[in-house]
Amino acid sequence: SMTFSCFVMFHMRNALYLPVAYEEHFPDRFFHDKMFLFAVGFSLIGQLAVIYFPPLQMVFQTEALYGMDILFLVALTSTVFWVAELKKAFERAMERRVYRKQHVDLDFV
């Protein structure tokens, strides 16, 4: 159940983060795509049903997760956001470094 939920939550975090991955700041327009938010919400509701609804538990052979398990999964899957933000910061720093190097080289021309 933990592994299954982890995969689903990682995919949902990726889906939520992808539209804003290359923008400087978290945009306001993110919350305006109602169909996208509906799809993500419906996926999470489906995931919860598979974990907690007994007939679906039998079909998917899952067990109910405890609250601490869910909190652990939320914390673990939030690493998608933090790693991507660190990657953006690193890329911006490298771009500034290359930009400064190019301008320093031109000063001698």
Side-chain angles (χ1 to χ4, degrees):
S1 296
M2 283 287 283
T3 304
F4 181 60
S5 297
C6 189
F7 283 132
V8 170
M9 290 181 80
F10 264 122
H11 285 292
M12 289 303 106
R13 293 280 185 154
N14 276 330
L16 286 169
Y17 187 69
L18 189 60
V20 296
Y22 293 101
E23 297 188 18
E24 278 298 311
H25 303 289
F26 202 76
D28 294 331
R29 70 173 177 77
F30 173 78
F31 296 104
H32 290 80
D33 191 351
K34 304 274 191 251
M35 289 304 293
F36 174 71
L37 293 176
F38 174 77
V40 169
F42 187 72
S43 296
L44 291 176
I45 289 169
Q47 174 63 23
L48 291 173
V50 166
I51 294 173
Y52 295 109
F53 187 58
L56 291 178
Q57 284 179 323
M58 289 188 326
V59 171
F60 289 96
Q61 298 179 358
T62 59
E63 295 180 13
L65 299 176
Y66 296 105
M68 289 304 291
D69 295 333
I70 298 293
L71 289 175
F72 174 76
L73 287 172
V74 169
L76 179 65
T77 58
S78 71
T79 60
V80 169
F81 173 77
W82 298 113
V83 168
E85 286 298 313
L86 286 172
K87 180 181 175 264
K88 278 196 312 192
F90 177 75
E91 288 172 348
R92 280 193 300 262
M94 294 307 292
E95 286 173 6
R96 282 193 301 266
R97 186 175 183 185
V98 168
Y99 178 78
R100 272 189 259 139
K101 184 176 180 353
Q102 288 173 347
H103 281 75
V104 169
D105 291 343
L106 293 177
D107 288 341
F108 296 107
V109 175

Coordinates of all heavy atoms in Angstrom, one line a residue, residues 4-64:
F4 N 2.5 1.6 -3.5 CA 1.5 2.0 -4.5 C 1.1 3.5 -4.3 O 1.1 4.3 -5.3 CB 0.3 1.1 -4.3 CG -0.8 1.4 -5.3 CD1 -0.7 1.3 -6.7 CD2 -2.1 1.8 -4.8 CE1 -1.7 1.6 -7.5 CE2 -3.1 2.0 -5.7 CZ -2.9 1.9 -7.0
S5 N 0.9 3.9 -3.1 CA 0.6 5.3 -2.8 C 1.7 6.2 -3.1 O 1.5 7.3 -3.5 CB 0.2 5.4 -1.3 OG -1.0 4.6 -1.0
C6 N 2.9 5.8 -2.8 CA 4.1 6.6 -3.1 C 4.2 6.9 -4.6 O 4.4 8.0 -5.0 CB 5.3 5.9 -2.6 SG 6.8 6.9 -2.7
F7 N 4.0 5.9 -5.4 CA 4.0 6.1 -6.9 C 3.0 7.1 -7.3 O 3.2 8.0 -8.1 CB 3.9 4.8 -7.7 CG 5.1 3.9 -7.7 CD1 5.0 2.6 -7.4 CD2 6.3 4.5 -8.0 CE1 6.2 1.8 -7.4 CE2 7.5 3.7 -8.1 CZ 7.4 2.3 -7.7
V8 N 1.7 6.9 -6.8 CA 0.6 7.8 -7.2 C 0.9 9.2 -6.8 O 0.8 10.1 -7.5 CB -0.7 7.3 -6.6 CG1 -1.8 8.3 -6.8 CG2 -1.1 5.9 -7.2
M9 N 1.4 9.3 -5.5 CA 1.7 10.7 -5.0 C 2.8 11.4 -5.7 O 2.8 12.6 -6.0 CB 1.9 10.7 -3.5 CG 0.6 10.3 -2.8 SD 0.7 10.3 -1.0 CE 0.7 12.1 -0.7
F10 N 3.9 10.6 -6.1 CA 5.0 11.2 -6.9 C 4.5 11.7 -8.2 O 4.8 12.8 -8.7 CB 6.1 10.2 -7.1 CG 7.2 10.3 -6.1 CD1 7.6 9.2 -5.3 CD2 7.9 11.5 -5.9 CE1 8.6 9.3 -4.4 CE2 9.0 11.6 -5.0 CZ 9.3 10.5 -4.2
H11 N 3.6 10.9 -8.9 CA 3.1 11.3 -10.2 C 2.2 12.5 -10.0 O 2.2 13.4 -10.9 CB 2.3 10.1 -10.8 CG 3.2 9.1 -11.4 ND1 4.0 9.4 -12.5 CD2 3.5 7.8 -11.0 CE1 4.7 8.3 -12.8 NE2 4.4 7.3 -11.9
M12 N 1.4 12.6 -9.0 CA 0.6 13.8 -8.8 C 1.4 15.0 -8.5 O 1.1 16.1 -9.0 CB -0.4 13.5 -7.6 CG -1.5 12.5 -8.0 SD -2.5 13.0 -9.4 CE -1.9 11.8 -10.6
R13 N 2.5 14.8 -7.7 CA 3.3 16.0 -7.4 C 4.0 16.5 -8.7 O 4.2 17.7 -8.9 CB 4.4 15.6 -6.4 CG 3.9 15.4 -5.0 CD 3.6 16.7 -4.3 NE 3.2 16.4 -2.9 CZ 3.4 17.2 -1.9 NH1 4.0 18.4 -2.1 NH2 3.0 16.9 -0.7
N14 N 4.5 15.5 -9.5 CA 5.1 15.9 -10.8 C 4.1 16.6 -11.7 O 4.4 17.6 -12.3 CB 5.6 14.7 -11.5 CG 7.0 14.3 -11.1 OD1 7.8 15.1 -10.7 ND2 7.2 13.0 -11.2
A15 N 2.9 16.1 -11.7 CA 1.8 16.8 -12.5 C 1.5 18.2 -12.0 O 1.3 19.1 -12.8 CB 0.6 15.9 -12.5
L16 N 1.5 18.3 -10.7 CA 1.2 19.7 -10.1 C 2.4 20.6 -10.4 O 2.2 21.8 -10.6 CB 0.9 19.5 -8.6 CG -0.4 18.9 -8.3 CD1 -0.5 18.6 -6.8 CD2 -1.5 19.9 -8.7
Y17 N 3.6 20.1 -10.3 CA 4.7 21.0 -10.4 C 5.1 21.3 -11.9 O 5.7 22.4 -12.2 CB 5.9 20.4 -9.7 CG 7.1 21.3 -9.6 CD1 7.0 22.5 -8.8 CD2 8.2 21.1 -10.4 CE1 8.0 23.4 -8.8 CE2 9.3 22.0 -10.3 CZ 9.2 23.2 -9.5 OH 10.2 24.1 -9.5
L18 N 4.9 20.4 -12.8 CA 5.4 20.5 -14.2 C 4.9 21.8 -14.8 O 5.8 22.5 -15.5 CB 5.0 19.3 -15.0 CG 5.5 19.3 -16.4 CD1 7.1 19.2 -16.3 CD2 5.0 18.1 -17.1
P19 N 3.7 22.3 -14.7 CA 3.3 23.5 -15.4 C 4.1 24.8 -14.9 O 4.1 25.8 -15.6 CB 1.8 23.7 -15.1 CG 1.4 22.3 -14.7 CD 2.5 21.6 -14.1
V20 N 4.6 24.7 -13.7 CA 5.3 25.9 -13.2 C 6.8 25.6 -12.9 O 7.4 26.4 -12.3 CB 4.6 26.3 -11.8 CG1 3.2 26.8 -12.1 CG2 4.7 25.2 -10.8
A21 N 7.3 24.6 -13.5 CA 8.7 24.2 -13.2 C 9.7 25.2 -13.6 O 10.7 25.3 -13.0 CB 9.0 22.8 -13.9
Y22 N 9.5 25.9 -14.7 CA 10.5 26.8 -15.2 C 10.2 28.3 -15.0 O 10.7 29.2 -15.6 CB 10.8 26.6 -16.7 CG 11.4 25.2 -16.9 CD1 10.7 24.1 -17.3 CD2 12.8 25.0 -16.5 CE1 11.3 22.9 -17.4 CE2 13.4 23.8 -16.6 CZ 12.6 22.7 -17.1 OH 13.2 21.5 -17.1
E23 N 9.2 28.6 -14.1 CA 8.9 30.0 -13.8 C 9.6 30.4 -12.6 O 9.9 29.6 -11.7 CB 7.4 30.1 -13.7 CG 6.7 29.8 -15.0 CD 5.2 30.1 -15.0 OE1 4.8 30.9 -14.1 OE2 4.5 29.6 -15.9
E24 N 9.9 31.7 -12.5 CA 10.6 32.2 -11.3 C 9.9 31.9 -10.0 O 10.5 31.5 -9.1 CB 10.8 33.7 -11.5 CG 12.0 34.1 -12.3 CD 13.3 33.6 -11.8 OE1 13.6 33.8 -10.6 OE2 14.1 33.1 -12.6
H25 N 8.6 32.3 -10.0 CA 7.9 32.2 -8.7 C 6.6 31.4 -9.0 O 6.2 31.3 -10.2 CB 7.5 33.6 -8.2 CG 8.7 34.5 -8.0 ND1 9.6 34.3 -7.0 CD2 9.1 35.5 -8.7 CE1 10.5 35.2 -7.0 NE2 10.3 35.9 -8.1
F26 N 6.0 30.9 -8.0 CA 4.8 30.1 -8.1 C 3.7 31.0 -8.7 O 3.3 32.0 -8.0 CB 4.4 29.5 -6.8 CG 3.5 28.3 -6.9 CD1 4.0 27.1 -7.3 CD2 2.2 28.4 -6.6 CE1 3.2 26.0 -7.3 CE2 1.3 27.3 -6.7 CZ 1.9 26.1 -7.1
P27 N 3.2 30.7 -9.9 CA 2.3 31.7 -10.5 C 0.8 31.6 -10.0 O 0.4 30.5 -9.6 CB 2.4 31.3 -12.0 CG 2.7 29.9 -12.0 CD 3.6 29.6 -10.8
D28 N 0.1 32.7 -10.1 CA -1.3 32.7 -9.8 C -2.1 31.9 -10.8 O -3.1 31.3 -10.4 CB -1.8 34.1 -9.7 CG -1.2 34.9 -8.6 OD1 -0.8 34.2 -7.6 OD2 -1.1 36.1 -8.7
R29 N -1.7 31.8 -12.0 CA -2.4 31.1 -13.0 C -2.5 29.6 -12.8 O -3.4 29.0 -13.4 CB -1.9 31.4 -14.4 CG -0.5 30.7 -14.7 CD -0.1 30.9 -16.1 NE 1.2 30.4 -16.4 CZ 1.4 29.1 -16.5 NH1 0.4 28.2 -16.4 NH2 2.6 28.6 -16.7
F30 N -1.7 29.1 -11.9 CA -1.7 27.7 -11.6 C -3.1 27.2 -11.2 O -3.6 26.2 -11.5 CB -0.7 27.3 -10.6 CG -0.7 25.9 -10.1 CD1 -0.2 24.9 -10.8 CD2 -1.3 25.6 -8.9 CE1 -0.2 23.6 -10.4 CE2 -1.4 24.3 -8.4 CZ -0.8 23.3 -9.2
F31 N -3.8 28.0 -10.4 CA -5.1 27.7 -9.8 C -6.2 28.0 -10.7 O -7.4 27.7 -10.4 CB -5.3 28.4 -8.5 CG -4.3 27.9 -7.4 CD1 -3.2 28.8 -7.1 CD2 -4.4 26.7 -6.8 CE1 -2.3 28.4 -6.2 CE2 -3.4 26.3 -5.9 CZ -2.4 27.1 -5.6
H32 N -6.0 28.5 -11.9 CA -7.0 28.8 -12.9 C -7.4 27.6 -13.8 O -8.4 27.7 -14.5 CB -6.7 30.0 -13.7 CG -6.7 31.3 -12.8 ND1 -5.7 31.6 -12.0 CD2 -7.7 32.2 -12.7 CE1 -6.0 32.7 -11.3 NE2 -7.2 33.1 -11.7
D33 N -6.6 26.6 -13.9 CA -6.8 25.5 -14.7 C -7.7 24.5 -14.0 O -7.2 23.5 -13.4 CB -5.5 24.8 -15.2 CG -5.7 23.8 -16.3 OD1 -6.9 23.5 -16.6 OD2 -4.7 23.3 -16.8
K34 N -9.0 24.7 -14.1 CA -10.0 23.9 -13.3 C -10.0 22.4 -13.7 O -10.0 21.6 -12.8 CB -11.4 24.5 -13.4 CG -11.5 25.9 -13.0 CD -11.7 26.1 -11.6 CE -12.1 27.5 -11.2 NZ -11.0 28.2 -10.6
M35 N -9.9 22.1 -14.9 CA -9.9 20.7 -15.4 C -8.7 20.0 -14.9 O -8.8 18.8 -14.5 CB -10.0 20.6 -16.9 CG -11.4 21.0 -17.4 SD -12.7 20.1 -16.7 CE -12.4 18.5 -17.4
F36 N -7.6 20.6 -14.9 CA -6.3 20.0 -14.4 C -6.4 19.7 -12.9 O -6.1 18.6 -12.5 CB -5.1 20.9 -14.7 CG -3.9 20.4 -14.1 CD1 -3.2 19.2 -14.7 CD2 -3.3 21.0 -13.1 CE1 -2.1 18.8 -14.1 CE2 -2.1 20.6 -12.5 CZ -1.5 19.4 -13.0
L37 N -6.9 20.7 -12.2 CA -7.0 20.5 -10.7 C -8.1 19.5 -10.4 O -7.9 18.7 -9.5 CB -7.4 21.8 -10.0 CG -6.3 22.9 -10.1 CD1 -6.7 24.2 -9.5 CD2 -5.0 22.4 -9.4
F38 N -9.1 19.4 -11.2 CA -10.2 18.4 -11.0 C -9.6 17.0 -11.3 O -9.8 16.0 -10.5 CB -11.3 18.6 -12.0 CG -12.4 17.5 -12.0 CD1 -13.3 17.4 -11.0 CD2 -12.4 16.6 -13.0 CE1 -14.2 16.4 -11.0 CE2 -13.3 15.6 -13.0 CZ -14.3 15.5 -12.0
A39 N -8.8 16.8 -12.3 CA -8.1 15.5 -12.6 C -7.2 15.1 -11.5 O -7.2 13.9 -11.1 CB -7.4 15.6 -13.9
V40 N -6.4 16.0 -11.0 CA -5.5 15.7 -9.9 C -6.3 15.3 -8.6 O -6.0 14.3 -8.0 CB -4.5 16.8 -9.6 CG1 -3.8 16.6 -8.3 CG2 -3.6 17.0 -10.8
G41 N -7.3 16.1 -8.3 CA -8.2 15.8 -7.2 C -8.9 14.5 -7.3 O -8.9 13.7 -6.3
F42 N -9.4 14.2 -8.5 CA -10.1 12.9 -8.7 C -9.1 11.8 -8.5 O -9.5 10.7 -8.0 CB -10.7 12.9 -10.1 CG -11.6 11.7 -10.3 CD1 -12.8 11.6 -9.7 CD2 -11.2 10.7 -11.2 CE1 -13.6 10.5 -9.9 CE2 -12.0 9.6 -11.4 CZ -13.2 9.5 -10.8
S43 N -7.9 11.9 -9.0 CA -6.9 10.9 -8.9 C -6.6 10.6 -7.4 O -6.4 9.5 -7.0 CB -5.6 11.3 -9.6 OG -5.8 11.4 -11.0
L44 N -6.4 11.7 -6.6 CA -6.2 11.5 -5.2 C -7.3 10.9 -4.5 O -7.1 10.0 -3.6 CB -5.8 12.8 -4.6 CG -4.4 13.4 -5.0 CD1 -4.2 14.8 -4.4 CD2 -3.3 12.4 -4.7
I45 N -8.6 11.2 -4.8 CA -9.7 10.6 -4.2 C -9.8 9.1 -4.6 O -10.1 8.3 -3.8 CB -11.0 11.3 -4.7 CG1 -11.1 12.7 -4.0 CG2 -12.3 10.5 -4.3 CD1 -12.2 13.6 -4.6
G46 N -9.5 8.8 -5.9 CA -9.4 7.4 -6.3 C -8.4 6.6 -5.5 O -8.6 5.5 -5.1
Q47 N -7.2 7.3 -5.3 CA -6.2 6.6 -4.5 C -6.6 6.4 -3.1 O -6.4 5.3 -2.5 CB -4.9 7.5 -4.5 CG -3.8 7.0 -3.6 CD -3.3 5.7 -4.0 OE1 -3.4 5.3 -5.2 NE2 -2.7 4.9 -3.1
L48 N -7.3 7.3 -2.4 CA -7.8 7.1 -1.1 C -8.9 6.0 -1.1 O -8.9 5.2 -0.1 CB -8.4 8.4 -0.5 CG -7.3 9.5 -0.2 CD1 -8.0 10.8 0.1 CD2 -6.4 9.1 0.9
A49 N -9.7 5.9 -2.1 CA -10.7 4.9 -2.2 C -10.0 3.5 -2.2 O -10.5 2.6 -1.6 CB -11.6 5.1 -3.4
V50 N -9.0 3.4 -3.0 CA -8.3 2.1 -3.1 C -7.7 1.7 -1.8 O -7.6 0.5 -1.5 CB -7.2 2.2 -4.3 CG1 -6.3 1.0 -4.2 CG2 -7.9 2.3 -5.6
I51 N -7.2 2.7 -1.0 CA -6.6 2.4 0.2 C -7.6 2.1 1.4 O -7.4 1.2 2.2 CB -5.7 3.5 0.7 CG1 -4.5 3.6 -0.3 CG2 -5.1 3.3 2.1 CD1 -3.7 4.9 0.0
Y52 N -8.7 2.8 1.4 CA -9.6 2.8 2.5 C -11.0 2.2 2.3 O -11.7 1.9 3.2 CB -9.8 4.2 3.1 CG -8.6 4.8 3.7 CD1 -7.9 5.8 3.0 CD2 -8.0 4.2 4.8 CE1 -6.7 6.3 3.5 CE2 -6.8 4.7 5.4 CZ -6.2 5.8 4.7 OH -5.0 6.2 5.2
F53 N -11.4 1.9 1.0 CA -12.7 1.4 0.7 C -12.6 -0.2 0.6 O -11.9 -0.6 -0.3 CB -13.3 2.0 -0.6 CG -14.7 1.6 -0.9 CD1 -15.7 1.9 0.0 CD2 -15.0 1.0 -2.1 CE1 -17.0 1.5 -0.3 CE2 -16.3 0.6 -2.4 CZ -17.3 0.9 -1.5
P54 N -13.2 -0.9 1.6 CA -13.0 -2.4 1.6 C -13.1 -3.1 0.3 O -12.3 -4.0 0.0 CB -14.0 -2.8 2.7 CG -14.1 -1.6 3.6 CD -14.0 -0.4 2.7
P55 N -14.2 -2.9 -0.5 CA -14.2 -3.7 -1.7 C -13.0 -3.4 -2.7 O -12.5 -4.3 -3.3 CB -15.5 -3.2 -2.4 CG -16.4 -2.7 -1.3 CD -15.4 -2.1 -0.3
L56 N -12.6 -2.2 -2.7 CA -11.4 -1.9 -3.5 C -10.1 -2.4 -2.9 O -9.2 -2.7 -3.6 CB -11.3 -0.4 -3.8 CG -12.4 0.2 -4.7 CD1 -12.2 1.7 -4.9 CD2 -12.4 -0.5 -6.1
Q57 N -10.1 -2.4 -1.6 CA -8.9 -3.0 -0.9 C -8.8 -4.5 -1.3 O -7.6 -4.9 -1.5 CB -9.1 -2.9 0.6 CG -8.9 -1.6 1.2 CD -9.1 -1.5 2.7 OE1 -9.9 -2.2 3.3 NE2 -8.3 -0.8 3.4
M58 N -9.9 -5.2 -1.4 CA -9.8 -6.6 -1.8 C -9.3 -6.7 -3.2 O -8.4 -7.6 -3.5 CB -11.1 -7.3 -1.6 CG -11.5 -7.5 -0.2 SD -13.0 -8.5 0.2 CE -14.0 -8.2 -1.2
V59 N -9.8 -5.9 -4.1 CA -9.4 -6.0 -5.5 C -7.9 -5.6 -5.7 O -7.2 -6.3 -6.4 CB -10.3 -5.0 -6.4 CG1 -9.8 -5.0 -7.8 CG2 -11.7 -5.5 -6.4
F60 N -7.5 -4.6 -5.1 CA -6.1 -4.1 -5.3 C -5.2 -4.6 -4.2 O -4.0 -4.3 -4.2 CB -6.1 -2.6 -5.3 CG -6.7 -1.9 -6.5 CD1 -8.0 -1.5 -6.5 CD2 -5.9 -1.8 -7.6 CE1 -8.5 -0.9 -7.6 CE2 -6.5 -1.3 -8.8 CZ -7.8 -0.8 -8.7
Q61 N -5.7 -5.4 -3.3 CA -4.9 -6.0 -2.2 C -4.1 -5.0 -1.4 O -2.9 -5.1 -1.3 CB -4.0 -7.1 -2.8 CG -4.8 -8.3 -3.4 CD -3.8 -9.3 -4.0 OE1 -2.6 -9.2 -3.9 NE2 -4.5 -10.4 -4.5
T62 N -4.8 -4.0 -1.0 CA -4.1 -2.9 -0.2 C -4.6 -3.0 1.2 O -5.6 -3.6 1.5 CB -4.4 -1.5 -0.8 OG1 -5.9 -1.3 -0.8 CG2 -3.9 -1.4 -2.2
E63 N -4.0 -2.3 2.1 CA -4.4 -2.2 3.5 C -4.4 -0.7 3.8 O -3.7 0.1 3.2 CB -3.3 -2.8 4.4 CG -3.3 -4.3 4.2 CD -2.2 -5.0 5.1 OE1 -1.8 -4.3 6.1 OE2 -1.9 -6.1 4.9
A64 N -5.2 -0.4 4.8 CA -5.4 1.0 5.2 C -4.1 1.5 5.8 O -3.4 0.8 6.5 CB -6.5 1.2 6.2

